[in-house]
Amino acid sequence: MVEEQLIPRGIQDKRVLQTFLKVERHRFVPAEAREKAYGDYPLPIGEKQTISQPYMVALMTECLQLRGTERILEIGTGSGYQSAILAELAKEVYTIERHALLAEPAHRLLREMGYKNISFKVGDGTLGWPEQAPFDRIIITAATAEVPDPLSKQLTDDGLIVAPIGELFSQTLTVFHKDHGQLRGESFTSCVFVPLIGKFGLQH
Ligand code: SAH
């Protein structure tokens, strides 16, 4: 996966590549899909949701420019795979999932794997996590037309947000930098994520 998918497509951050070698992706996919865990595609995880393609997880992670000191907010825990990657590379991860049926097994697995720097919440991630704000980085792993207002407010100045911005079935991976209270976005690649559903999401 690292040698055939991530490196040839330009993932360079050594810490990111090492983390992808370390975190066992097969533990995050349903038993019946386990032999496909390292394939170059997203996989279904139940509740009509997916674990993102390895390259997309790597690209989003690299875009966050993590050094190990950051507090990160993740919207869309899903399988918990991205949460584990972030927990390896940053100080603290706060992750929110709206489906309790996905959140619970992800919590259990991440605890079992020994992660102590991940905090979990079940609810509408478009509202953010005001009690724990501000965050140095925010990652939205579901499609949205724009960054939900509460999330941009909960980002530190000089912080970064990575999110798939667009419409249903067609988005652009975008990295926003907060500079003097203003978000400025830079477009990366086209992508397709499941919709962000919530008060400030693509669908209510
Ligand atoms: N990061 C995940 C990808 C999950 S797909 C992984 O590595 O497996 C996106 C997830 O976002 C889905 O689980 C979906 O239920 C969740 N989601 C969608 N809208 C949400 C919202 N408003 N708040 C929290 N989670 C949301």
Side-chain angles (χ1 to χ4, degrees):
M1 177 182 80
V2 169
E3 280 175 15
E4 292 175 12
Q5 301 167 34
L6 308 191
I7 294 172
R9 289 194 197 129
I11 301 297
Q12 288 183 339
D13 186 325
K14 294 232 160 46
R15 294 180 69 232
V16 172
L17 293 171
Q18 270 160 13
T19 302
F20 276 79
L21 289 172
K22 177 176 172 188
V23 177
E24 298 174 322
R25 181 171 163 96
H26 61 268
R27 299 185 68 168
F28 295 86
V29 307
E32 62 276 13
R34 213 141 274 182
E35 74 282 2
K36 294 186 186 150
Y38 297 89
D40 192 10
Y41 33 70
L43 286 168
I45 55 169
E47 305 303 312
K48 293 198 244 155
Q49 306 302 323
T50 54
I51 175 171
S52 305
Q53 176 196 24
Y55 170 65
M56 194 49 66
V57 180
L59 180 60
M60 291 177 91
T61 305
E62 188 169 71
C63 284
L64 289 173
Q65 300 178 31
L66 301 173
R67 295 289 165 264
T69 55
E70 300 82 3
R71 300 176 77 244
I72 309 182
L73 176 64
E74 178 190 30
I75 312 303
T77 315
S79 68
Y81 181 61
Q82 174 85 69
S83 323
I85 299 280
L86 297 173
E88 294 278 347
L89 291 165
K91 187 160 167 239
E92 288 166 4
V93 178
Y94 295 83
T95 184
I96 309 178
E97 170 58 53
R98 62 183 287 274
H99 274 295
L101 282 174
L102 295 175
E104 277 154 22
H107 299 189
R108 219 174 308 125
L109 176 59
L110 292 164
R111 288 276 175 258
E112 205 177 287
M113 290 175 84
Y115 292 103
K116 296 199 167 55
N117 58 343
I118 308 177
S119 304
F120 303 93
K121 182 169 167 169
V122 175
D124 180 3
T126 69
L127 305 173
W129 197 327
E131 300 82 5
Q132 296 293 346
F135 302 96
D136 307 301
R137 301 285 187 270
I138 298 177
I139 174 169
I140 308 176
T141 69
T144 179
E146 56 190 6
V147 173
D149 210 35
L151 300 186
S152 43
K153 292 205 174 98
Q154 291 172 32
L155 183 70
T156 55
D157 210 45
D158 208 30
L160 298 173
I161 299 182
V162 57
I165 301 289
E167 50 194 66
L168 212 55
F169 307 121
S170 164
Q171 305 102 38
T172 305
L173 189 71
T174 308
V175 180
F176 296 89
H177 176 229
K178 190 170 181 177
D179 184 15
H180 294 91
Q182 285 291 102
L183 283 189
R184 210 163 302 137
E186 187 187 341
S187 300
F188 279 72
T189 182
S190 55
C191 55
V192 184
F193 280 75
V194 296
L196 183 69
I197 297 173
K199 187 166 179 209
F200 297 92
L202 203 54
Q203 294 169 355
H204 202 100

